[in-house]
Amino acid sequence: AGIPVVVIPGNHDYGFELRVYERFVAPFKHAFYRRFDRGAGIWVVQGSGLVRVAGPQEVTYPKLELLGGIAFIGLDSQEQELEGFIPSLSSDGQLGQAQLARLEVMLASPQVASARARVLMLHHHAFDHLPLHRLKDADALYPLIRGRVHALLFGHNHLLITGDDWRRFCGRLEIPRCYDAGSTTRRYGQHGHA
């Protein structure tokens, strides 16, 4: 019944321009996670283990989807920005200590540990440290994922990836595949949106 799509939020999903708003979180979850209303497919951390969600509003991050024996772990790199000192400046990303602690629990869970591969996804760039591009707490993320995932997927920078550039991050943090999505809508040399 179609190709499964795994969705995580980006910095434009909770608002627009440079502003993020808590009021957009629920509509995002309803739009993209309602197919799991009957509790099939999305796992989240609760206490020291994982539970299946019963509806879209129960989705927290990290979230886990098991597809074909592969663990797809999605992070919300805007979560801490919604609660930060200046919550409206959303171009930088930040996971926050609570989400990082839940990620540690998830990576150690039997569901993830027994998967044939582990793919970690987040919107903000994992290795770019420039203001407005960076994941502010990337240095706290690195020790949690070093050598523990098989692929790391990220984007945010709206750059065209050409030639062998897509390989430039592979092998970092002992992760065989690290891919910068660049831009999926860049056309004829014009900037696009990822």
Side-chain angles (χ1 to χ4, degrees):
I3 298 171
V5 175
V6 179
V7 177
I8 57 169
N11 64 305
H12 297 287
D13 293 317
Y14 295 161
F16 48 89
E17 298 295 327
L18 293 177
R19 300 184 65 81
V20 294
Y21 299 97
E22 182 72 33
R23 71 178 186 259
F24 292 124
V25 175
F28 174 86
K29 289 179 178 181
H30 179 74
F32 291 105
Y33 303 144
R34 69 177 177 251
R35 69 177 190 259
F36 296 105
D37 280 349
R38 289 175 287 287
I42 295 181
W43 298 75
V44 297
V45 173
Q46 188 175 71
S48 61
L50 302 185
V51 297
R52 286 183 190 226
V53 299
Q57 298 314 313
E58 293 181 14
V59 173
T60 58
Y61 301 94
K63 70 177 185 74
L64 169 66
E65 295 183 55
L66 295 166
L67 301 169
I70 300 172
F72 289 89
I73 301 167
L75 300 175
D76 180 358
S77 55
Q78 283 300 123
E79 182 170 306
Q80 189 62 34
E81 291 297 293
L82 287 167
E83 300 171 10
F85 177 68
I86 306 175
S88 65
L89 299 178
S90 70
S91 288
D92 282 339
Q94 188 171 7
L95 300 166
Q97 292 178 349
Q99 187 174 188
L100 290 168
R102 291 189 304 268
L103 176 61
E104 192 165 15
V105 170
M106 184 171 281
L107 288 170
S109 72
Q111 295 91 331
V112 173
S114 65
R116 65 184 177 103
R118 292 167 294 284
V119 178
L120 185 68
M121 305 166 300
L122 69 155
H123 175 75
H124 283 83
H125 202 289
F127 302 115
D128 190 338
H129 298 289
L130 292 174
L132 303 181
H133 291 212
R134 65 191 173 151
L135 179 66
K136 289 192 253 184
D137 49 2
D139 289 339
L141 174 66
Y142 296 161
L144 296 178
I145 64 173
R146 180 180 299 279
R148 296 178 76 185
V149 298
H150 298 94
L152 176 62
L153 310 177
F154 52 88
H156 182 66
N157 287 356
H158 304 262
L159 298 174
L160 180 62
I161 307 298
T162 60
D164 285 339
D165 280 356
W166 63 271
R167 298 175 195 233
R168 68 182 166 193
F169 300 111
C170 291
R172 287 200 189 177
L173 304 175
E174 301 169 34
I175 300 172
R177 303 284 184 230
C178 298
Y179 297 122
D180 177 354
S183 179
T184 58
T185 61
R186 187 174 173 125
R187 184 173 166 181
Y188 306 119
Q190 301 298 313
H191 288 285
H193 298 286

